[in-house]
Amino acid sequence: MCCTNTYGTGRRDPPGADAMSIGANLTDPQVAVLARQAVDLLDPDVAIDIAPEPGNDPYARGGGSWLVWPRLDDHRSFGIYVQGSWTATRALAQLIDGLAENSSESGGFWARPFPPCASGHRHPSAVEAQADEVVLRCPSTGEIVERIRPAL
């Protein structure tokens, strides 16, 4: 959707993410709050599992990293990577974009555009991480559909 792979890792970073990662140190509770905020945009009834990434050292410089697992269709269907050195805005954009990329392929959300675009549009909004908010923008018109501030 909106993001590109970085350095062949297979991980996806929101546009503008590199410039926003300086000085951030996310914690377990903050990742939980941001994950809940992102998943609530899709469906507040969806449960979430959060686990440290295998081999993660939470005491290493730059903090830890996590995999957020939305439990769509009552099971873990995909994980979304979150790095502890990211800002809350970058992490929230990553979570929303990960849901956008994967949720429409689950049974309960099959072919449902997420995040929703402007009224009457059948495609999802593009996800953009800006300095202090995530912007959802119509990819056709460029119109801003919604601005979301991290709930931290």
Side-chain angles (χ1 to χ4, degrees):
M1 185 175 183
C2 78
C3 304
T4 58
N5 284 332
T6 57
Y7 311 109
T9 63
R11 296 191 179 113
R12 300 171 60 76
D13 291 335
D18 290 337
M20 296 180 293
S21 63
I22 298 170
N25 277 312
L26 294 174
T27 63
D28 289 338
Q30 290 173 325
V31 171
V33 167
L34 295 170
R36 184 76 265 162
Q37 183 180 8
V39 171
D40 282 355
L41 294 171
L42 178 66
D43 184 344
D45 294 329
V46 171
I48 307 166
D49 292 339
I50 302 172
E53 186 175 41
N56 180 43
D57 179 1
Y59 303 106
R61 184 174 180 189
S65 56
W66 299 264
L67 285 173
V68 175
W69 299 89
R71 295 185 57 87
L72 303 180
D73 305 327
D74 294 323
H75 67 277
R76 291 179 173 185
S77 51
F78 59 91
I80 305 168
Y81 177 83
V82 176
Q83 177 64 46
S85 62
W86 293 348
T87 64
T89 302
R90 179 178 178 182
L92 182 58
Q94 177 80 359
L95 289 160
I96 294 170
D97 192 58
L99 287 166
E101 286 290 320
N102 297 287
S103 65
S104 66
E105 297 187 20
S106 70
F109 300 97
W110 181 254
R112 178 175 151 190
F114 177 82
C117 197
S119 180
H121 293 198
R122 294 182 180 208
H123 55 255
S125 293
V127 180
E128 300 174 9
Q130 296 188 352
D132 60 351
E133 64 187 5
V134 175
V135 172
L136 304 181
R137 186 180 304 274
C138 177
S140 296
T141 66
E143 168 190 358
I144 293 176
V145 176
E146 187 173 358
R147 295 177 184 273
I148 305 167
R149 290 187 168 269
L152 299 181

